[in-house]
Amino acid sequence: MSTNLMQYVVVRGDLAKVLNWTTGAVIAQACHASSAVMHLFHDDPIMKQYTSDLDKMNKVVLEAPDENSLKQLTAELLEAEVDHKLWVEQPENIPTCLVTKPYRKEEIHKYFKKFKLMK
C-alpha cells in the first residue's frame, strides 16, 4: 500500500504570475516531471510500493516563488541524496518543476516546509 508514501511536486509560481504562462502550460510541467520520475525510478522498490495501489497515491503540489528557489531546492536534495527530477522545459531551457520519488513524509518533509501549497 502507498498510504505512508508522499510524492512532492514543486512548481514555479512565477511561470503564471510573472511570465504569463497559461494554467494548462504550468500543469503540463508538473505532468512532465511526474511522468519522468515514474520512468526514472520504475524499478525502485519504493516506487513499486507507491504504484501498487493507484487509487491511494499521495502527492502534494507546492509553489516555488521563482527559478532561484527551485534551483536551491534542487541543490539541497542533491546534497541529501533525495531522488528527484528537475524538469527543464526545452528548447527554452527553463527549469519549471521538481518532483521527488515517493518517500515517507517524515524522511523528506523538512526540505519542503518553506513552500506553500500551489493555488
Side-chain angles (χ1 to χ4, degrees):
M1 300 287 282
S2 64
T3 56
N4 295 329
L5 299 174
M6 179 71 69
Q7 189 172 37
Y8 286 87
V9 178
V10 184
V11 181
R12 283 178 51 189
D14 66 334
L15 295 176
K17 295 174 184 172
V18 177
L19 301 176
N20 297 317
W21 286 31
T22 65
T23 301
V26 174
I27 292 170
Q29 301 308 300
C31 293
H32 291 325
S34 184
S35 298
V37 166
M38 299 285 281
H39 176 74
L40 289 169
F41 302 105
H42 71 278
D43 287 331
D44 183 274
I46 298 296
M47 181 62 80
K48 287 182 179 186
Q49 180 184 357
Y50 182 71
T51 58
S52 68
D53 189 348
L54 296 177
D55 293 328
K56 294 190 178 170
M57 295 188 299
N58 295 309
K59 287 181 178 53
V60 62
V61 181
L62 304 171
E63 181 177 329
D66 54 31
E67 182 175 344
N68 287 337
S69 60
L70 197 61
K71 286 182 174 180
Q72 177 62 36
L73 175 60
T74 301
E76 292 172 14
L77 296 180
L78 285 170
E79 184 176 325
E81 298 181 352
V82 173
D83 291 330
H84 66 282
K85 171 67 177 166
L86 174 65
W87 186 259
V88 180
E89 182 66 9
Q90 297 299 332
E92 299 88 353
N93 204 37
I94 299 173
T96 59
C97 180
L98 180 146
V99 176
T100 65
K101 181 185 86 175
Y103 283 91
R104 285 178 176 66
K105 183 177 179 180
E106 59 272 10
E107 291 180 61
I108 63 169
H109 176 70
K110 64 183 178 183
Y111 301 106
F112 300 94
K113 285 193 237 181
K114 61 187 161 204
F115 300 105
K116 295 182 180 178
L117 289 173
M118 182 121 190
K119 294 182 182 179

